[in-house]
Amino acid sequence: MFLNTNNLPWLISKELRTILHAHISDRFTACVLTCQSSSHFAGAGGHSPAEIAIDTDGTIIFITSFIDTDVSSGVREQACFDFVAREVRYDGKERVPLEGEQERYQEWENAFVASSLAGAYRVTVSPILELEERCV
């Protein structure tokens, strides 16, 4: 599968494309990339966990960034960029239109790419159906 960014309202960096493609290149079904802090970065600030859903045609469905909290309280959503609904939600609050949110997206992307290149994430790839089952 190749990454298809035609549905995005703005360009994504070559570095993010490379990172995502490294995990989806042998996939032929919709999938979710779950990026969690690797053991040697656990508890280190600035490496927010993320989930990135990609459809069978390679389009990015959504990107959700999480606030890494202590184990007892779980993980809270920080930002969810929904490219299908063309909306974004911050801190689990009300959705706002995706237009005008490029700067905040860019901040997320820069931090994610830097963390990825530093080896801060352990990435797992799951069929998108597993995500749907968790959300029910």
Side-chain angles (χ1 to χ4, degrees):
M1 173 190 323
F2 288 95
L3 197 59
N4 174 0
T5 59
N6 292 337
N7 69 317
L8 303 181
W10 48 73
L11 298 176
I12 64 171
S13 69
K14 179 181 175 185
E15 293 82 7
L16 181 59
R17 281 179 188 269
T18 300
I19 291 165
L20 296 179
H21 194 262
H23 297 287
I24 67 167
S25 63
D26 62 346
R27 297 283 169 177
F28 299 101
T29 60
C31 61
V32 177
L33 279 67
T34 303
C35 308
Q36 298 178 355
S37 293
S38 60
S39 58
H40 61 281
F41 281 94
H47 306 295
S48 299
E51 283 187 330
I52 302 167
I54 301 173
D55 210 343
T56 54
D57 65 353
T59 59
I60 299 173
I61 300 169
F62 68 80
I63 296 173
T64 303
S65 174
F66 298 95
I67 297 171
D68 210 352
T69 59
D70 68 291
V71 178
S72 63
S73 63
V75 179
R76 240 182 19 170
E77 181 182 293
Q78 181 178 34
C80 181
F81 298 93
D82 185 332
F83 297 109
V84 174
R86 317 255 337 139
E87 299 173 328
V88 63
R89 184 178 60 231
Y90 299 107
D91 301 320
K93 297 180 181 161
E94 190 173 321
R95 296 176 182 267
V96 297
L98 199 55
E99 294 77 29
E101 298 301 312
Q102 183 174 2
E103 186 175 325
R104 289 191 70 181
Y105 167 81
Q106 198 63 54
E107 290 171 9
W108 171 84
E109 182 182 293
N110 291 340
F112 180 80
V113 167
S115 294
S116 294
L117 295 176
Y121 295 120
R122 181 181 70 249
V123 178
T124 56
V125 181
S126 307
I128 206 159
L129 291 175
E130 289 182 20
L131 175 67
E132 290 173 356
E133 289 170 2
R134 285 195 328 237
C135 294
V136 173

